Amino acid sequence: MLILHLDMDAFFAAIEERDNPYLKGKPIVVGADPKQGRGRGVVSTANYEARKYGIHSAMPISQAYRLCPKAYFLPVNIEKYQQVSQNIFAIFQKHSSLIEKVSIDEAYLGLEEKKLCKDFKKDDPYEAAKILAQKIKNEIFEKERLTSSCGVGPNKLLAKIASDHQKPNGLTVVKPSEIDDFLRDKPVLSLPGIGPKTEKILADFNIKTIKDLKKLSSERLKSLFGKRGEEFYYFARGVDNRPIETTHQTKSIGKQITFEEDIDKPKIIIETAYFLLKGVLKEAEKENFSFSTLEVIVRYFDFETKTTQMKVYGKTFTDFKNCLLKLLLKFLGKKKIRLVGVRVVRG
Ligand code: TTP
Ligand code: MG
Protein backbone atom coordinates (compact mmCIF):
# COMPACT_ATOMS: atom_id res chain seq x y z
CA MET A 1 0.00 0.00 0.00
CA LEU A 2 1.28 3.47 -0.94
CA ILE A 3 -0.04 6.61 0.67
CA LEU A 4 -0.93 9.84 -1.04
CA HIS A 5 -1.41 12.96 1.07
CA LEU A 6 -3.09 16.02 -0.38
CA ASP A 7 -3.50 19.44 1.21
CA MET A 8 -5.07 22.45 -0.48
CA ASP A 9 -2.97 25.62 -0.74
CA ALA A 10 -4.04 28.57 1.44
CA PHE A 11 -7.49 27.00 1.29
CA PHE A 12 -9.96 29.65 2.55
CA ALA A 13 -7.95 32.51 1.05
CA ALA A 14 -7.53 30.75 -2.30
CA ILE A 15 -11.31 30.30 -2.58
CA GLU A 16 -11.86 34.02 -1.87
CA GLU A 17 -9.20 34.96 -4.38
CA ARG A 18 -10.87 32.75 -6.97
CA ASP A 19 -14.33 34.23 -6.33
CA ASN A 20 -13.27 37.89 -6.20
CA PRO A 21 -11.12 38.55 -9.27
CA TYR A 22 -10.12 42.04 -8.05
CA LEU A 23 -8.21 40.29 -5.22
CA LYS A 24 -5.93 38.43 -7.61
CA GLY A 25 -2.31 38.67 -6.48
CA LYS A 26 -3.19 40.89 -3.50
CA PRO A 27 -2.48 40.00 0.14
CA ILE A 28 -5.62 38.37 1.59
CA VAL A 29 -6.36 37.52 5.19
CA VAL A 30 -9.44 35.44 6.03
CA GLY A 31 -10.54 35.62 9.63
CA ALA A 32 -12.02 37.94 12.25
CA ASP A 33 -12.75 41.61 11.57
CA PRO A 34 -9.53 43.57 12.27
CA LYS A 35 -11.52 46.72 13.23
CA GLN A 36 -8.65 49.02 12.27
CA GLY A 37 -6.33 47.03 14.52
CA ARG A 38 -8.71 46.81 17.51
CA GLY A 39 -10.28 43.49 16.51
CA ARG A 40 -10.00 40.62 19.02
CA GLY A 41 -10.28 37.50 16.85
CA VAL A 42 -7.64 35.54 14.95
CA VAL A 43 -6.47 34.84 11.42
CA SER A 44 -7.96 31.67 9.89
CA THR A 45 -5.57 31.74 7.01
CA ALA A 46 -3.67 34.11 4.74
CA ASN A 47 -2.73 33.69 1.10
CA TYR A 48 0.94 33.37 0.17
CA GLU A 49 1.11 37.09 -0.73
CA ALA A 50 0.04 38.03 2.81
CA ARG A 51 2.37 35.41 4.34
CA LYS A 52 5.29 37.43 2.95
CA TYR A 53 4.45 39.99 5.67
CA GLY A 54 4.70 37.30 8.35
CA ILE A 55 0.95 36.77 8.68
CA HIS A 56 -0.14 33.20 9.47
CA SER A 57 -3.04 31.10 10.80
CA ALA A 58 -4.04 31.59 14.45
CA MET A 59 -2.22 34.94 14.72
CA PRO A 60 -4.24 37.70 16.44
CA ILE A 61 -6.01 39.65 13.72
CA SER A 62 -4.80 42.94 15.29
CA GLN A 63 -1.21 41.82 14.76
CA ALA A 64 -1.96 40.83 11.16
CA TYR A 65 -3.43 44.29 10.63
CA ARG A 66 -0.29 45.93 11.98
CA LEU A 67 1.92 43.76 9.76
CA CYS A 68 -0.02 44.63 6.62
CA PRO A 69 -2.83 47.18 6.97
CA LYS A 70 -3.39 47.28 3.22
CA ALA A 71 -4.19 43.56 3.07
CA TYR A 72 -7.75 42.58 2.18
CA PHE A 73 -9.39 41.28 5.34
CA LEU A 74 -12.34 38.97 4.64
CA PRO A 75 -14.78 37.16 6.94
CA VAL A 76 -14.90 33.36 7.10
CA ASN A 77 -17.59 31.92 4.85
CA ILE A 78 -17.42 28.38 6.15
CA GLU A 79 -20.48 27.04 4.24
CA LYS A 80 -18.83 27.96 0.98
CA TYR A 81 -15.53 26.30 1.95
CA GLN A 82 -17.35 23.17 3.11
CA GLN A 83 -19.08 22.88 -0.25
CA VAL A 84 -15.73 23.15 -2.05
CA SER A 85 -14.30 20.57 0.35
CA GLN A 86 -17.11 18.16 -0.51
CA ASN A 87 -16.41 18.57 -4.22
CA ILE A 88 -12.73 17.81 -3.65
CA PHE A 89 -13.47 14.72 -1.57
CA ALA A 90 -15.79 13.51 -4.34
CA ILE A 91 -12.77 13.60 -6.65
CA PHE A 92 -10.71 11.57 -4.12
CA GLN A 93 -13.46 8.96 -4.01
CA LYS A 94 -13.09 8.34 -7.72
CA HIS A 95 -9.48 7.29 -7.18
CA SER A 96 -9.39 5.47 -3.84
CA SER A 97 -11.80 3.68 -1.54
CA LEU A 98 -9.48 4.16 1.42
CA ILE A 99 -9.68 7.82 2.42
CA GLU A 100 -8.85 9.43 5.74
CA LYS A 101 -10.22 12.93 6.08
CA VAL A 102 -7.79 14.87 8.23
CA SER A 103 -9.44 18.25 7.93
CA ILE A 104 -11.56 20.37 5.61
CA ASP A 105 -8.72 20.60 3.06
CA GLU A 106 -6.53 17.60 3.77
CA ALA A 107 -6.71 13.83 3.30
CA TYR A 108 -4.73 10.61 3.05
CA LEU A 109 -5.55 8.17 0.25
CA GLY A 110 -4.46 4.54 0.36
CA LEU A 111 -3.32 3.19 -3.03
CA GLU A 112 -2.86 -0.47 -3.93
CA GLU A 113 0.48 -1.05 -5.64
CA LYS A 114 -0.79 -3.74 -8.00
CA LYS A 115 -3.73 -1.67 -9.12
CA LEU A 116 -1.53 1.39 -9.65
CA CYS A 117 0.88 -0.52 -11.89
CA LYS A 118 -1.98 -2.02 -13.87
CA ASP A 119 -3.94 1.24 -14.25
CA PHE A 120 -0.96 3.25 -15.43
CA LYS A 121 1.00 0.47 -17.14
CA LYS A 122 4.10 1.00 -15.02
CA ASP A 123 6.42 -1.45 -13.30
CA ASP A 124 7.19 0.96 -10.48
CA PRO A 125 4.14 1.75 -8.31
CA TYR A 126 5.74 5.08 -7.29
CA GLU A 127 5.90 6.17 -10.94
CA ALA A 128 2.27 5.19 -11.31
CA ALA A 129 1.29 7.01 -8.10
CA LYS A 130 3.02 10.14 -9.37
CA ILE A 131 0.87 10.11 -12.50
CA LEU A 132 -2.25 9.58 -10.40
CA ALA A 133 -1.31 12.39 -8.01
CA GLN A 134 -0.85 14.80 -10.93
CA LYS A 135 -4.16 13.64 -12.34
CA ILE A 136 -5.96 14.35 -9.06
CA LYS A 137 -4.31 17.77 -8.79
CA ASN A 138 -5.37 18.55 -12.36
CA GLU A 139 -8.94 17.44 -11.76
CA ILE A 140 -9.18 19.65 -8.68
CA PHE A 141 -7.80 22.57 -10.64
CA GLU A 142 -10.09 22.02 -13.61
CA LYS A 143 -13.21 21.72 -11.43
CA GLU A 144 -12.39 24.23 -8.69
CA ARG A 145 -9.62 26.47 -10.04
CA LEU A 146 -7.64 25.81 -6.87
CA THR A 147 -4.14 24.48 -6.43
CA SER A 148 -3.11 21.77 -4.02
CA SER A 149 0.06 20.12 -2.81
CA CYS A 150 0.53 16.41 -2.89
CA GLY A 151 2.96 13.90 -1.44
CA VAL A 152 3.37 10.19 -2.11
CA GLY A 153 5.31 7.81 0.11
CA PRO A 154 5.36 4.35 1.65
CA ASN A 155 3.47 5.58 4.75
CA LYS A 156 1.50 8.50 6.19
CA LEU A 157 4.55 10.13 7.71
CA LEU A 158 6.44 10.40 4.42
CA ALA A 159 3.37 11.27 2.34
CA LYS A 160 2.60 14.18 4.67
CA ILE A 161 6.13 15.56 4.82
CA ALA A 162 6.37 15.14 1.04
CA SER A 163 3.21 17.16 0.40
CA ASP A 164 4.67 19.98 2.47
CA HIS A 165 8.01 19.77 0.67
CA GLN A 166 7.20 21.96 -2.34
CA LYS A 167 4.14 23.92 -1.25
CA PRO A 168 2.27 25.58 -2.96
CA ASN A 169 1.21 23.57 -5.99
CA GLY A 170 3.83 20.91 -5.27
CA LEU A 171 4.08 17.23 -6.03
CA THR A 172 6.76 15.17 -4.30
CA VAL A 173 7.24 11.42 -4.42
CA VAL A 174 9.51 9.73 -1.89
CA LYS A 175 10.55 6.19 -2.79
CA PRO A 176 11.84 3.86 -0.06
CA SER A 177 15.42 4.19 -1.33
CA GLU A 178 15.19 7.99 -0.97
CA ILE A 179 13.88 8.16 2.58
CA ASP A 180 17.13 8.93 4.40
CA ASP A 181 18.20 11.66 1.98
CA PHE A 182 14.76 13.18 1.98
CA LEU A 183 14.44 13.37 5.76
CA ARG A 184 18.04 14.26 6.63
CA ASP A 185 17.83 18.07 6.69
CA LYS A 186 14.18 18.45 7.65
CA PRO A 187 13.59 20.19 10.97
CA VAL A 188 12.46 17.95 13.84
CA LEU A 189 9.27 20.05 13.85
CA SER A 190 8.16 18.30 10.67
CA LEU A 191 7.58 15.04 12.57
CA PRO A 192 4.12 14.40 14.00
CA GLY A 193 4.05 14.76 17.78
CA ILE A 194 6.94 17.23 17.80
CA GLY A 195 5.64 20.71 18.51
CA PRO A 196 7.41 23.87 19.66
CA LYS A 197 7.85 22.53 23.23
CA THR A 198 9.57 19.31 22.19
CA GLU A 199 11.50 21.25 19.58
CA LYS A 200 12.86 23.50 22.33
CA ILE A 201 13.93 20.56 24.54
CA LEU A 202 15.70 18.95 21.57
CA ALA A 203 17.34 22.27 20.64
CA ASP A 204 18.89 22.33 24.13
CA PHE A 205 20.67 19.12 23.14
CA ASN A 206 21.61 20.80 19.86
CA ILE A 207 19.23 18.59 17.93
CA LYS A 208 17.58 20.56 15.16
CA THR A 209 17.23 18.28 12.15
CA ILE A 210 16.14 14.70 11.70
CA LYS A 211 19.76 13.80 10.98
CA ASP A 212 20.62 15.11 14.48
CA LEU A 213 17.68 13.26 16.00
CA LYS A 214 18.96 9.95 14.64
CA LYS A 215 21.96 10.26 16.95
CA LEU A 216 19.76 9.60 19.98
CA SER A 217 19.11 5.98 20.87
CA SER A 218 15.62 4.65 21.36
CA GLU A 219 16.31 4.31 25.13
CA ARG A 220 17.49 7.91 25.38
CA LEU A 221 14.43 9.21 23.55
CA LYS A 222 12.21 7.04 25.72
CA SER A 223 13.77 8.41 28.89
CA LEU A 224 13.27 11.96 27.62
CA PHE A 225 9.77 11.73 26.18
CA GLY A 226 8.29 8.41 27.30
CA LYS A 227 6.36 6.34 24.78
CA ARG A 228 6.30 9.24 22.35
CA GLY A 229 10.07 9.22 22.29
CA GLU A 230 10.08 5.70 20.94
CA GLU A 231 7.81 6.86 18.15
CA PHE A 232 10.24 9.69 17.30
CA TYR A 233 12.99 7.09 16.96
CA TYR A 234 11.05 5.28 14.25
CA PHE A 235 9.73 8.44 12.58
CA ALA A 236 13.31 9.75 12.26
CA ARG A 237 14.03 6.63 10.20
CA GLY A 238 10.92 7.02 8.06
CA VAL A 239 9.15 4.11 9.76
CA ASP A 240 5.45 4.63 10.46
CA ASN A 241 2.83 1.91 10.87
CA ARG A 242 -0.17 4.14 11.51
CA PRO A 243 -3.07 2.84 9.42
CA ILE A 244 -5.39 4.96 7.33
CA GLU A 245 -8.44 5.63 9.45
CA THR A 246 -11.43 5.93 7.20
CA THR A 247 -14.17 8.17 8.50
CA HIS A 248 -16.87 5.57 7.98
CA GLN A 249 -15.03 3.18 10.26
CA THR A 250 -17.64 1.99 12.74
CA LYS A 251 -17.35 3.66 16.11
CA SER A 252 -20.52 2.22 17.56
CA ILE A 253 -23.43 -0.09 16.83
CA GLY A 254 -26.85 0.70 18.20
CA LYS A 255 -30.52 -0.10 17.88
CA GLN A 256 -33.58 1.63 19.22
CA ILE A 257 -37.31 1.23 19.29
CA THR A 258 -40.09 3.77 19.65
CA PHE A 259 -43.02 2.15 21.41
CA GLU A 260 -46.43 2.26 19.76
CA GLU A 261 -47.63 4.02 22.87
CA ASP A 262 -45.79 5.46 25.87
CA ILE A 263 -44.94 2.74 28.39
CA ASP A 264 -44.42 2.74 32.13
CA LYS A 265 -44.28 -1.01 32.81
CA PRO A 266 -40.64 -1.79 33.75
CA LYS A 267 -40.95 -5.39 32.60
CA ILE A 268 -41.83 -4.43 29.03
CA ILE A 269 -39.07 -1.83 28.87
CA ILE A 270 -36.44 -4.20 30.24
CA GLU A 271 -37.45 -7.01 27.91
CA THR A 272 -37.42 -4.68 24.95
CA ALA A 273 -33.94 -3.52 25.92
CA TYR A 274 -32.74 -7.14 26.17
CA PHE A 275 -34.19 -7.81 22.75
CA LEU A 276 -32.31 -4.79 21.35
CA LEU A 277 -29.11 -5.90 23.08
CA LYS A 278 -29.37 -9.30 21.41
CA GLY A 279 -29.62 -7.65 17.99
CA VAL A 280 -26.73 -5.28 18.72
CA LEU A 281 -24.45 -8.12 19.88
CA LYS A 282 -25.34 -10.19 16.85
CA GLU A 283 -24.40 -7.35 14.54
CA ALA A 284 -21.21 -6.62 16.49
CA GLU A 285 -20.19 -10.24 16.12
CA LYS A 286 -20.99 -10.29 12.42
CA GLU A 287 -18.86 -7.17 11.85
CA ASN A 288 -16.09 -8.37 14.14
CA PHE A 289 -16.63 -5.18 16.12
CA SER A 290 -14.95 -5.09 19.51
CA PHE A 291 -16.37 -2.72 22.09
CA SER A 292 -15.77 -1.77 25.67
CA THR A 293 -18.71 0.41 26.52
CA LEU A 294 -22.45 -0.14 26.71
CA GLU A 295 -24.85 2.75 26.39
CA VAL A 296 -28.56 3.09 27.05
CA ILE A 297 -30.80 5.77 25.61
CA VAL A 298 -34.22 6.57 26.97
CA ARG A 299 -36.65 9.13 25.63
CA TYR A 300 -39.57 10.00 27.88
CA PHE A 301 -43.06 10.83 26.59
CA ASP A 302 -42.26 14.55 26.82
CA PHE A 303 -39.17 14.02 24.59
CA GLU A 304 -36.70 14.53 27.40
CA THR A 305 -33.86 12.23 26.34
CA LYS A 306 -31.28 10.64 28.63
CA THR A 307 -28.24 8.54 27.90
CA THR A 308 -25.89 6.76 30.25
CA GLN A 309 -23.01 4.39 29.68
CA MET A 310 -20.56 2.13 31.47
CA LYS A 311 -17.53 -0.02 30.71
CA VAL A 312 -18.77 -3.55 30.25
CA TYR A 313 -17.44 -6.39 32.34
CA GLY A 314 -17.63 -10.09 31.54
CA LYS A 315 -18.14 -11.69 28.17
CA THR A 316 -21.40 -13.63 28.28
CA PHE A 317 -24.86 -12.49 27.30
CA THR A 318 -25.86 -12.66 30.97
CA ASP A 319 -22.97 -10.32 31.89
CA PHE A 320 -24.08 -7.80 29.27
CA LYS A 321 -27.69 -8.13 30.39
CA ASN A 322 -26.64 -7.32 33.94
CA CYS A 323 -24.78 -4.23 32.81
CA LEU A 324 -27.75 -3.15 30.76
CA LEU A 325 -30.12 -3.62 33.67
CA LYS A 326 -27.89 -1.55 35.91
CA LEU A 327 -27.94 1.31 33.38
CA LEU A 328 -31.64 1.04 32.66
CA LEU A 329 -32.81 1.01 36.28
CA LYS A 330 -31.74 4.64 36.70
CA PHE A 331 -34.42 5.68 34.25
CA LEU A 332 -37.36 3.54 35.29
CA GLY A 333 -40.25 4.44 37.56
CA LYS A 334 -40.16 8.12 36.65
CA LYS A 335 -42.13 9.15 33.57
CA LYS A 336 -43.68 7.15 30.77
CA ILE A 337 -41.15 6.11 28.19
CA ARG A 338 -41.47 6.66 24.46
CA LEU A 339 -38.20 5.17 23.16
CA VAL A 340 -35.47 2.90 24.38
CA GLY A 341 -32.11 2.32 22.70
CA VAL A 342 -29.01 0.20 23.29
CA ARG A 343 -25.58 0.87 21.85
CA VAL A 344 -22.09 -0.60 22.11
CA VAL A 345 -19.15 1.75 21.63
CA ARG A 346 -15.57 1.08 20.58
CA GLY A 347 -13.02 1.28 23.39
P1 TTP B 1 -4.13 24.54 6.41
O1 TTP B 1 -4.09 23.46 5.37
O2 TTP B 1 -3.32 24.37 7.65
O3 TTP B 1 -3.69 25.94 5.78
P2 TTP B 1 -3.95 26.54 4.36
O4 TTP B 1 -4.66 25.56 3.47
O5 TTP B 1 -4.64 27.85 4.51
O6 TTP B 1 -2.50 26.83 3.84
P3 TTP B 1 -1.38 25.80 3.34
O7 TTP B 1 -1.13 26.20 1.92
O8 TTP B 1 -0.22 26.04 4.23
O9 TTP B 1 -1.97 24.42 3.45
O10 TTP B 1 -5.62 24.76 6.87
C1 TTP B 1 -6.72 24.67 5.99
C2 TTP B 1 -7.77 25.70 6.30
O11 TTP B 1 -8.21 25.56 7.64
C3 TTP B 1 -7.25 27.12 6.20
O12 TTP B 1 -7.37 27.63 4.87
C4 TTP B 1 -8.08 27.86 7.19
C5 TTP B 1 -8.46 26.84 8.23
N1 TTP B 1 -7.64 27.05 9.43
C6 TTP B 1 -8.15 27.85 10.46
O13 TTP B 1 -9.28 28.34 10.37
N2 TTP B 1 -7.38 28.07 11.57
C7 TTP B 1 -6.13 27.54 11.71
O14 TTP B 1 -5.45 27.80 12.74
C8 TTP B 1 -5.61 26.72 10.66
C9 TTP B 1 -4.23 26.13 10.77
C10 TTP B 1 -6.41 26.50 9.55
MG1 MG C 1 -4.00 23.58 3.30
Side-chain angles (χ1 to χ4, degrees), residues 7-11 48 51 103 105-106 167:
D7 187 310
M8 301 299 294
D9 300 324
F11 191 48
Y48 282 72
R51 289 183 200 189
S103 74
D105 83 326
E106 180 183 349
K167 233 178 189 316

Side-chain angles (χ1 to χ4, degrees), residues 75-316:
V76 178
N77 185 349
I78 195 72
E79 284 84 22
K80 175 156 83 169
Y81 315 146
Q82 256 151 4
Q83 182 57 55
V84 177
S85 176
Q86 268 182 29
N87 300 345
I88 291 163
F89 276 80
I91 295 175
F92 296 158
Q93 271 158 18
K94 290 202 299 186
H95 299 288
S96 171
S97 51
L98 200 60
I99 301 171
E100 176 175 337
K101 179 172 178 169
V102 181
S103 74
I104 191 166
D105 83 326
E106 180 183 349
Y108 291 104
L109 275 60
L111 307 173
E112 280 292 343
E113 274 125 311
K114 263 197 195 143
K115 186 169 185 314
L116 279 170
C117 293
K118 190 166 154 266
D119 288 354
F120 296 97
K121 299 189 176 59
K122 292 273 174 196
D123 294 329
D124 181 352
Y126 286 87
E127 293 299 321
K130 186 172 183 176
I131 302 173
L132 177 60
Q134 188 61 56
K135 193 171 154 159
I136 293 175
K137 275 165 59 68
N138 292 349
E139 269 183 51
I140 294 174
F141 190 76
E142 276 155 27
K143 286 230 170 68
E144 295 295 329
R145 298 278 138 196
L146 296 169
T147 64
S148 55
S149 294
C150 207
V152 173
N155 54 42
K156 279 165 68 164
L157 172 83
L158 285 153
K160 165 100 179 170
I161 302 177
S163 82
D164 233 26
H165 185 62
Q166 300 185 65
K167 233 178 189 316
N169 203 11
L171 169 53
T172 305
V173 177
V174 182
K175 299 183 184 188
S177 61
E178 301 165 341
I179 294 173
D180 280 341
D181 275 346
F182 176 71
L183 289 180
R184 181 170 300 145
D185 297 319
K186 294 261 179 277
V188 289
L189 207 54
S190 50
L191 295 182
I194 299 194
K197 262 194 209 159
T198 311
E199 183 192 32
K200 171 89 181 51
I201 298 170
L202 289 167
D204 291 341
F205 292 100
N206 215 11
I207 288 165
K208 300 212 165 85
T209 64
I210 294 183
K211 177 180 60 198
D212 303 334
L213 186 61
K214 280 176 81 174
K215 289 182 202 144
L216 297 187
S217 68
S218 174
E219 290 72 32
R220 184 90 179 93
L221 281 165
K222 220 171 160 180
S223 72
L224 281 170
F225 304 108
K227 214 174 147 46
R228 257 174 359 117
E230 208 174 358
E231 212 171 29
F232 301 159
Y233 179 86
Y234 287 107
F235 285 168
R237 285 154 183 80
V239 176
D240 173 19
N241 296 321
R242 288 172 302 159
I244 295 226
E245 292 182 33
T246 53
T247 26
H248 43 261
Q249 219 170 36
T250 326
K251 291 208 172 68
S252 72
I253 295 174
K255 292 189 186 295
Q256 56 187 44
I257 279 181
T258 305
F259 295 111
E260 290 289 328
E261 52 190 58
D262 303 334
I263 302 279
D264 58 2
K265 289 203 175 60
K267 190 164 180 288
I268 297 178
I269 297 160
I270 292 167
E271 271 169 13
T272 306
Y274 285 165
F275 170 75
L276 292 171
L277 175 69
K278 217 176 202 168
V280 166
L281 293 176
K282 205 168 151 189
E283 195 171 322
E285 192 181 324
K286 198 175 86 197
E287 302 207 356
N288 223 348
F289 176 81
S290 63
F291 57 89
S292 64
T293 302
L294 183 68
E295 185 177 282
V296 164
I297 305 114
V298 162
R299 179 165 300 142
Y300 294 109
F301 76 94
D302 56 1
F303 279 84
E304 187 191 4
T305 306
K306 298 262 188 199
T307 64
T308 179
Q309 50 174 233
M310 69 188 285
K311 293 268 172 215
V312 287
Y313 48 80
K315 284 212 155 45
T316 65

